[in-house]
Amino acid sequence: MSKLLHIDSSILGGNSVSRQLTAQIVASWRASHPATEVSYLDLAADAPSHLSAESLGFRLPAGSALSEVQQRENAVSEALVSQFLAADVIVVGAPLYNFSIPTQLKAWIDRVAQVGRTFAYTEKGPVGLAGGKTVIVASSRGGMYSTSEAGNATEHQESYLKVVFGFFGITDVRFVRAEGLAMGEAAKASALAAADLEIKAVATLAANQPEAALAA
């Protein structure tokens, strides 16, 4: 049985397109891969605090004396990184907020970006330690960013997530995109229809595929 971690980060609740897309992705994945155990993380409802002196305990040398607050924060970080490492497939809802990702999602990434757990530094540079996973990102955008050089230059949402998951050693990162959502009802309907087709494609493909297979 494989494990799927379903993550939402939109603050819009029932009005969220990214939440709609992640729900569709998970349902389609389970239909194509019935032996899948799903866990759920709603970062808008239960986000870890942003990194601070108290929450940096996991980066201190082993055996360091920690305060009670640091110990509690360490427990949060440990639970999140363990949940991430245990998953074979991660479905991430990532709306575009001010050209980037929600701060709640960034806080989660900061907690799972741990030396010795998800990456390591070597004499030749950083090496990802969390390979062998599949990440499917549900990307929602009010405007159009993928169709022009100017748009590509101003988005730090999909580009950032591809880099950070790649830094963790994950090469199978797939995107389901719905953009132009704020550009009228016709544009929104077209975007959702295109996303629906993308969901069918990404959910039927087996997990942990090489980039060549994803590009085919």
Side-chain angles (χ1 to χ4, degrees):
M1 177 178 290
S2 64
K3 294 185 177 182
L4 184 152
L5 174 58
H6 175 184
I7 301 174
D8 279 324
S9 65
S10 171
I11 61 175
L12 297 181
N15 295 319
S16 166
V17 170
S18 68
R19 287 175 180 269
Q20 174 185 330
L21 296 180
T22 60
Q24 289 179 243
I25 292 167
V26 172
S28 294
W29 187 272
R30 296 186 75 176
S32 297
H33 312 276
T36 300
E37 177 184 313
V38 177
S39 57
Y40 181 62
L41 183 59
D42 188 340
L43 293 174
D46 188 21
S49 62
H50 293 291
L51 288 185
S52 65
E54 287 75 23
S55 59
L56 276 176
F58 65 84
R59 297 189 180 181
L60 296 176
S64 298
L66 302 176
S67 68
E68 289 186 11
V69 175
Q70 287 175 317
Q71 291 178 44
R72 289 198 300 270
E73 291 294 338
N74 263 20
V76 172
S77 299
E78 178 60 32
L80 292 174
V81 75
S82 295
Q83 182 184 47
F84 172 71
L85 290 172
D88 302 294
V89 179
I90 300 98
V91 176
V92 181
L96 181 78
Y97 287 178
N98 297 318
F99 308 108
S100 186
I101 61 174
T103 182
Q104 294 89 343
L105 181 55
K106 179 60 166 60
W108 174 81
I109 290 170
D110 287 342
R111 294 300 187 113
V112 301
Q114 297 191 25
V115 176
R117 306 297 295 281
T118 51
F119 70 96
Y121 286 111
T122 71
E123 294 179 352
K124 297 182 179 179
V127 175
L129 302 178
K133 303 180 185 299
T134 292
V135 172
I136 305 174
V137 177
S139 165
S140 59
R141 302 164 164 181
M144 298 294 295
Y145 292 84
S146 68
T147 56
S148 68
E149 289 187 10
N152 285 323
T154 55
E155 75 85 11
H156 307 286
Q157 166 210 30
E158 293 181 12
S159 55
Y160 170 72
L161 292 173
K162 187 171 184 177
V163 167
V164 76
F165 286 122
F167 187 76
F168 294 162
I170 302 171
T171 58
D172 185 355
V173 182
R174 312 173 189 180
F175 289 91
V176 172
R177 181 188 303 128
E179 62 181 347
L181 298 172
M183 300 175 68
E185 289 303 315
K188 182 176 181 179
S190 177
L192 293 177
D196 188 58
L197 293 177
E198 290 180 1
I199 289 170
K200 291 180 173 62
V202 302
T204 55
L205 190 63
N208 193 27
Q209 294 295 301
E211 289 190 37
L214 297 176

